[in-house]
Amino acid sequence: LAKTTQPISMDSYEGQEVNITCSHNNIATNDYITWYQQFPSQGPRFIIQGYKTKVTNEVASLFIPADRKSSTLSLPRVSLSDTAVYYCLVGDLHTGGFKTIFGAGTRLFVKA
Amino acid sequence: DTGVSQDPRHKITKRGQNVTFRCDPISEHNRLYWYRQTLGQGPEFLTYFQNEAQLEKSRLLSDRFSAERPKGSFSTLEIQRTEQGDSAMYLCASSFGGNNSPLHFGNGTRLTVT
């Protein structure tokens, strides 16, 4: 199971773009990169998933370089409600990636 | 929105008592997972089911823990003879089980053992 490293915390202001980078040097060929968001007293919520290059949905973008040893979650124009913990997971969810250690995640604080 | 539902949301029990939690997954999902989360940490995998079969259990799942998923629908997680160290948030998730289908989590059951 690929280990991930991400910043413990980040601060931002409303309206700014926030980029959270995750390092995963030993990512395997079949591994996907999945990001979750968690608010206090709630379960993690799926944000975005990708394998390579760039993925975009209505919430975020995910940038993955060619070597796939890192990935960057980009949140455009954050608001106060984006204050949460963000987890980067790397694994093949079909064959056992669901056992991936979430780690402590990145605590994002958005200020007014 | 028929997401993953967990019951109860909160449970306070005395050490040594048994507790049981219930999870109702998204109806078309064939995989169901249980995780445990302590304060300041991410979720830790406990066990998962493919339909009614329990296919894998973590070493974290001691003999006091048992999970079932009769008929491949809802699931229960029972903790016998609770200990203070069992205090945590217990999260349930479900997925299609297809290639890299993301997990959909419930909002958990917060267990406090006094």
Side-chain angles (χ1 to χ4, degrees):
Chain A
L1 299 174
K3 181 179 177 180
T4 60
T5 302
Q6 48 183 126
I8 294 174
S9 65
M10 296 181 67
D11 289 344
S12 182
Y13 289 92
E14 282 190 293
Q16 288 187 332
E17 178 184 77
V18 171
N19 296 309
I20 306 174
T21 297
C22 179
S23 297
H24 29 80
N25 291 320
N26 61 340
I27 187 170
T29 302
N30 293 333
D31 288 347
Y32 277 66
I33 300 156
T34 310
W35 285 80
Y36 288 85
Q37 174 193 56
Q38 187 175 29
F39 299 112
S41 299
Q42 293 186 23
R45 183 176 73 100
F46 170 78
I47 302 175
I48 197 166
Q49 183 182 78
Y51 184 81
K52 62 181 179 181
T53 62
K54 176 184 175 183
V55 180
T56 297
N57 61 23
E58 64 278 6
V59 177
S61 294
L62 179 59
F63 298 92
I64 306 168
D67 66 4
R68 302 202 327 122
K69 293 184 183 299
S70 67
S71 59
T72 299
L73 174 72
S74 181
L75 303 172
R77 301 170 59 85
V78 294
S79 64
L80 295 176
S81 62
D82 291 317
T83 294
V85 179
Y86 293 81
Y87 296 100
C88 165
L89 270 72
V90 172
D92 181 345
L93 294 177
H94 184 62
T95 60
F98 48 83
K99 294 182 289 183
T100 299
I101 297 172
F102 274 70
T106 297
R107 296 181 178 275
L108 172 65
F109 297 95
V110 180
K111 305 173 187 177
Chain B
D1 178 12
T2 54
V4 177
S5 176
Q6 292 189 247
D7 183 69
R9 287 299 313 277
H10 304 275
K11 178 69 176 180
I12 300 174
T13 190
K14 293 184 178 181
R15 187 177 55 187
Q17 297 295 306
N18 299 342
V19 293
T20 300
F21 311 139
R22 177 181 171 121
C23 171
D24 286 275
I26 294 173
S27 58
E28 58 266 32
H29 287 179
N30 59 351
R31 282 195 175 187
L32 186 147
Y33 314 79
W34 285 99
Y35 290 81
R36 180 173 68 186
Q37 185 174 25
T38 55
L39 199 61
Q41 299 299 316
E44 298 172 294
F45 168 75
L46 292 178
T47 188
Y48 99 95
F49 293 82
Q50 174 108 1
N51 300 312
E52 67 274 11
Q54 186 174 18
L55 297 186
E56 194 155 350
K57 295 191 288 187
S58 161
R59 288 174 298 174
L60 294 175
L61 210 66
S62 76
D63 291 344
R64 297 183 298 105
F65 288 69
S66 63
E68 294 182 344
R69 192 184 182 197
K71 302 179 182 179
S73 55
F74 71 92
S75 176
T76 58
L77 177 68
E78 180 183 17
I79 309 174
Q80 296 182 327
R81 304 181 303 282
T82 53
E83 301 172 356
Q84 287 187 323
D86 297 331
S87 294
M89 174 78 85
Y90 289 86
L91 292 162
C92 175
S94 68
S95 74
F96 279 114
N99 286 340
N100 286 290
S101 295
L103 275 59
H104 295 263
F105 285 84
N107 284 329
T109 294
R110 168 77 63 190
L111 173 65
T112 302
V113 182
T114 62

